[in-house]
Amino acid sequence: MQKVIVVGGGAAGMMAAVSAAKAGACVLLLERNNRLGWKLSITGKGRCNVTNDSTMQEIIKNIPGNGSFLYSSLAAFDSASLQDFFRAQGVELKTERGKRVFPVSDNAKDIVAALKRAMEKLGVKVLYGKYVDKLLIEDGAIQGVQAGEEVFEAERVIITCGGKSYSTTGSDGSGYMLAEQAGHSIITPKPALVPLYSEDKYIPGLAGLSLKNVEVSLYHRNKLLAAEFGEMLFTHKGVSGPVILSLSFDVCTLSAIDQRQCILKINLKPALDMDKLQARLQRDLDKFSRRHLANSLNELLPQSIIPVVIQLSGVFPHKECNQITKEERKALCEIISAFPVHISSVGTIEEAIVTAGGVCVKEINPKTMESRKVSGLYFCGEVLDVQGYTGGFNLQAAFSMGNAAGKYAAEEF
Ligand SMILES: Cc1cc2nc3c(=O)[nH]c(=O)nc-3n(C[C@H](O)[C@H](O)[C@H](O)COP(=O)(O)OP(=O)(O)OC[C@H]3O[C@@H](n4cnc5c(N)ncnc54)[C@H](O)[C@@H]3O)c2cc1C
């Protein structure tokens, strides 16, 4: 029986353990925490967006950070296979807007429990409180790992220590240190999928405002970098929510100086083109012709954003609606269709949903997840330089890579 050690009991680690045990290996999982799947249990705001019900091509398209590295592992274990896996473990799933898949219970802990159950059924042994800090390597082959003074021997070791974000959940970047011991290059870890900060004076006054069905365009020095449709929210320090997290991907690739040159333009009424928007505004102005402008936009816009829209358009808020000129109406519509938020910085790696960077994928076999530097050593999950957009793509990537690593680590040489 092949002995396999899995380091880290997150999404990738638990799936790797299941897959190795299924393939007949004797599996020992070492987790530094006293529980499994801590980060997994807080994913999707505690609901766990476990995958995206999409084809392999669509999934790869949504993983801009080295998505093509996943062709082989996704072909072997795609979204449908992952959903079948959880259903077989008794977890009912549902698909929401944007093909996002969640457990019907809306409880991420059910996903963690299902993985734990699968491991138990297959006889995976789990040891808690084991912080692996050393790889034992001899003549280019793995021999085991060390956690403090304790030595654990095995001819196969799978590293699934995660990235560097939300480090209280256990992923503190120690996987990179282990990879370096094996001679791997680390692409500098950076935050990805983070809130964006803004020093625009009106931001604190908008905190808590959540917008649905808006189109947000990201510009860098007047050049359109990306645009996203969906939900976002204002925070005390800037903006967040699904659309913003996705757009942050592009902002994070820029230097701190260039990040400050970025501006978001929020189209608050994307279903209306400029002519239709002007006509719609005129209707409201006609309807409330004797009111002040500031009291006439409630049917068009959320209350808290109205004073800011009026201020940015330069129109006097206490002007009566029947006095608003064509130019003023146009100025209001320009702000409504391109509400500006100037970016000052991005969230820290600690706040990031995923870490960009990590173990260089060129040094890993994409089919087996085995290191090209040390035989018998495997890497999978966020510890690798692979990162996708929100929507279930990151967990799908972790599960597919985990499935591949476990399967091949269990094989005889
Ligand atoms: C708030 C939040 C919400 C998210 N929501 C979603 C979502 O809804 N959908 C989605 O697709 N993605 C989501 N993600 C991203 C997703 O959680 C990660 O991509 C995924 O958890 C990565 O899995 P992993 O197994 O590689 O790493 P992790 O889940 O981070 O697991 C790593 C494990 O290794 C252990 N470990 C680390 N170092 C050592 C060591 N030296 N020795 C022993 N054990 C060690 C850690 O304690 C941890 O248990 C979210 C992330 C966050 C932070």
Side-chain angles (χ1 to χ4, degrees):
M1 219 186 208
Q2 192 63 54
K3 187 168 177 200
V4 174
I5 289 179
V6 178
V7 182
M14 286 193 279
M15 187 56 85
V18 167
S19 162
K22 243 189 220 165
C26 165
V27 185
L28 171 64
L29 189 151
L30 301 174
E31 166 57 50
R32 62 175 293 197
N33 292 328
N34 58 8
R35 62 192 265 198
L36 293 169
W38 187 344
K39 186 175 277 180
L40 190 53
S41 72
I42 60 162
T43 54
K45 297 202 174 118
R47 297 173 63 221
C48 187
N49 179 192
V50 72
T51 182
N52 195 281
D53 190 23
S54 296
T55 62
M56 183 174 86
Q57 268 73 20
E58 284 170 324
I59 290 177
I60 288 173
K61 222 164 70 193
N62 281 284
I63 304 186
N66 291 316
S68 57
F69 175 76
L70 301 177
Y71 268 110
S72 187
S73 59
L74 267 171
F77 194 68
D78 60 4
S79 175
S81 322
L82 181 64
Q83 293 180 53
D84 287 345
F85 169 84
F86 281 114
R87 288 198 179 100
Q89 300 304 321
V91 181
E92 279 187 71
L93 300 171
K94 58 178 172 180
T95 305
E96 298 189 355
R97 196 183 44 75
K99 300 188 190 172
R100 291 162 193 247
V101 180
F102 294 88
V104 167
S105 63
D106 283 329
N107 191 347
K109 291 190 179 128
D110 290 350
I111 296 292
V112 179
L115 286 158
K116 276 172 80 171
R117 262 198 315 277
M119 289 199 299
E120 274 160 24
K121 270 191 236 159
L122 291 159
V124 173
K125 186 173 175 194
V126 180
L127 292 180
Y128 296 94
K130 303 296 174 195
Y131 187 84
V132 173
D133 53 9
K134 193 170 174 199
L135 295 183
L136 305 173
I137 300 165
E138 255 178 55
D139 298 330
I142 195 82
Q143 305 297 321
V145 300
Q146 218 171 302
E149 296 301 305
E150 272 182 287
V151 170
F152 300 91
E153 288 180 348
E155 282 183 329
R156 308 290 163 83
V157 170
I158 308 176
I159 305 294
T160 70
C161 296
K164 244 189 140 173
S165 71
Y166 277 69
S167 62
T168 47
T169 64
S171 52
D172 63 350
S174 58
Y176 307 141
M177 179 265 292
L178 295 173
E180 277 174 333
Q181 288 176 15
H184 281 281
S185 335
I186 306 299
I187 310 299
T188 308
K190 279 189 183 167
L193 305 182
V194 273
L196 297 175
Y197 295 141
S198 170
E199 288 164 2
D200 287 339
K201 295 255 176 340
Y202 43 85
I203 292 292
L206 294 174
L209 173 63
S210 140
L211 299 171
K212 282 197 175 130
N213 302 325
V214 289
E215 187 178 54
V216 187
S217 304
L218 167 68
Y219 290 84
H220 174 244
R221 297 198 178 125
N222 292 326
K223 183 176 166 231
L224 179 67
L225 294 187
E228 291 279 336
F229 178 86
E231 290 172 33
M232 62 160 286
L233 62 96
F234 286 91
T235 66
H236 285 281
K237 294 193 286 184
V239 281
S240 192
V243 161
I244 302 299
L245 294 177
S246 290
L247 291 173
S248 76
F249 216 99
D250 292 272
V251 184
C252 287
T253 60
L254 302 171
S255 69
I257 294 172
D258 279 321
Q259 286 172 2
R260 291 186 77 86
Q261 311 285 332
C262 286
I263 178 168
L264 298 172
K265 292 187 181 173
I266 305 166
N267 188 342
L268 299 164
K269 293 283 160 195
L272 305 177
D273 64 22
M274 202 36 120
D275 287 344
K276 284 194 182 128
L277 179 59
Q278 291 211 38
R280 169 67 216 277
L281 176 60
Q282 187 58 58
R283 269 212 315 276
D284 285 15
L285 296 176
D286 291 343
K287 187 171 169 187
F288 305 115
S289 62
R290 302 303 299 274
R291 284 193 196 170
H292 287 172
L293 175 64
N295 300 326
S296 69
L297 300 178
N298 304 37
E299 291 182 9
L300 187 62
L301 297 171
Q303 184 62 47
S304 58
I305 210 167
I306 293 171
V308 189
V309 166
I310 295 176
Q311 183 206 334
L312 293 174
S313 66
V315 183
F316 181 55
H318 301 297
K319 199 164 181 182
E320 271 191 13
C321 289
N322 56 21
Q323 299 298 307
I324 301 289
T325 65
K326 192 175 163 196
E327 284 68 36
E328 287 172 329
R329 200 182 60 209
K330 195 162 164 252
L332 283 162
C333 288
E334 272 163 9
I335 297 297
I336 293 169
S337 60
F339 185 91
V341 176
H342 299 84
I343 305 301
S344 56
S345 62
V346 301
T348 61
I349 199 157
E350 190 51 43
E351 300 168 274
I353 298 295
V354 289
T355 307
V359 178
C360 175
V361 292
K362 288 191 191 128
E363 298 166 0
I364 306 294
N365 178 331
K367 183 175 172 202
T368 63
M369 300 290 142
E370 190 176 7
S371 156
R372 296 193 200 276
K373 306 256 176 199
V374 172
S375 78
L377 179 64
Y378 298 76
F379 289 89
C380 58
E382 204 179 317
V383 70
L384 291 174
D385 181 18
V386 173
Q387 55 288 152
Y389 292 131
T390 58
F393 303 106
N394 288 298
L395 281 175
Q396 177 66 52
F399 287 129
S400 294
M401 288 189 265
N403 177 67
K407 175 172 182 264
Y408 288 100
E411 274 186 358
E412 292 295 326
F413 277 130

